[in-house]
Amino acid sequence: MFATISDPFVEHNAQISVYDVPENDDPSSYSDSPRLEIDLPKTSDGKRVNATNIVWLNLNEALFVTFDNGSIRLYDPATGEELDEFYPHEKKINRVSFNSDKTLFITSSADFTAKLYDVVDLKHLKTYKTDRPVNDAVISETKDHILLGGGQEAMSVTTTSGKVGKFETRFFHLVYEEEFGSVKGHFGPINALAINPNGRSYASGAEDGYIRLHYFDKSYLDMKDPVPEVLEEGEEDDDEMEDRESDSDSD
């Protein structure tokens, strides 16, 4: 089976369509009619909703659908019944990505954040905050890292330089939510990211019309993530101690 999403048009609401793909049949014999159609009616305040992504969860147990109003819904692919709905974001969800075994997913939103969730219980785990719309985010399979891409909206790009538009790929630590690096190169908003499963390279696609393939250098591949120390009450970190010592020496 496969599923598609469509935007509302004229009097028709947005819709999810599920199609059968018979085994061992000639593709030309496939039916053009979907096996199941799920209507996406207007919200209680009369606004139409647009689905932005659709993903099959493990064992085809549910259809995972994101929307432009910041919501996520789960649907039964056999009956079309809505199983769950929640609102991780305040604005449009641009993209959703899963790790390889689909135990974690990360959402990218126009509200300047990306959020990490557990797939099983839909528990919110982490939030990665930026100062620009996030168009895509991916989870590294080999390191506890998150890659985020985005930038200023495309309508403003013609009058914006790459530096001001902030079109670089940003690196965050998955657990500590801290940004520790960035990679420049594009002069338009980054719309798509993908990490090689071996963790040695990643690709980025942007509004500037280019797809860039980036190879990680040895320093990144060999990098060990530091564990932030939690200071006990009354303790000072090394930098503060050095500042105090230099001040006393100058006196």
Side-chain angles (χ1 to χ4, degrees), residues 139-145 174 220-225:
I139 304 169
S140 172
E141 297 294 340
T142 58
K143 289 181 176 288
D144 288 334
H145 294 170
L174 182 147
Y220 174 84
L221 297 175
D222 295 341
M223 179 179 70
K224 296 187 185 218
D225 295 320

Side-chain angles (χ1 to χ4, degrees), residues 9-41:
F9 179 72
V10 192
E11 297 180 356
H12 299 281
N13 292 325
Q15 187 171 270
I16 299 170
S17 301
V18 180
Y19 295 83
D20 282 323
V21 180
E23 294 184 12
N24 305 319
D25 284 0
D26 189 319
S28 62
S29 66
Y30 293 171
S31 172
D32 293 335
S33 300
R35 179 181 63 79
L36 174 68
E37 292 182 331
I38 304 172
D39 192 55
L40 304 175

Side-chain angles (χ1 to χ4, degrees), residues 36-48:
L36 174 68
E37 292 182 331
I38 304 172
D39 192 55
L40 304 175
K42 295 178 181 179
T43 58
S44 56
D45 56 2
K47 293 182 180 179
R48 286 183 164 181

Side-chain angles (χ1 to χ4, degrees), residues 103-135:
T103 56
L104 297 171
F105 71 86
I106 187 167
T107 56
S108 311
S109 174
D111 66 6
F112 296 9
T113 66
K115 295 187 178 182
L116 186 70
Y117 279 82
D118 184 300
V119 172
V120 177
D121 56 11
L122 302 178
K123 180 181 178 182
H124 174 229
L125 302 176
K126 301 291 178 181
T127 298
Y128 310 96
K129 299 178 180 178
T130 72
D131 56 356
R132 72 208 69 174
V134 183
N135 294 336

Side-chain angles (χ1 to χ4, degrees), residues 157 160-163 167 185-189 206-210 212:
V157 170
T160 304
S161 68
K163 182 177 180 181
F167 306 137
H186 289 288
F187 51 91
E207 201 79 25
D208 58 16
Y210 289 93
R212 292 178 177 269

Side-chain angles (χ1 to χ4, degrees), residues 149-162:
Q152 185 180 3
E153 294 185 6
M155 67 178 71
S156 306
V157 170
T158 54
T159 58
T160 304
S161 68

Side-chain angles (χ1 to χ4, degrees), residues 83-94:
L83 305 175
D84 201 352
E85 180 183 29
F86 62 105
Y87 285 77
H89 292 282
E90 299 175 357
K91 294 184 179 180
K92 177 182 178 181
I93 298 177
N94 291 315

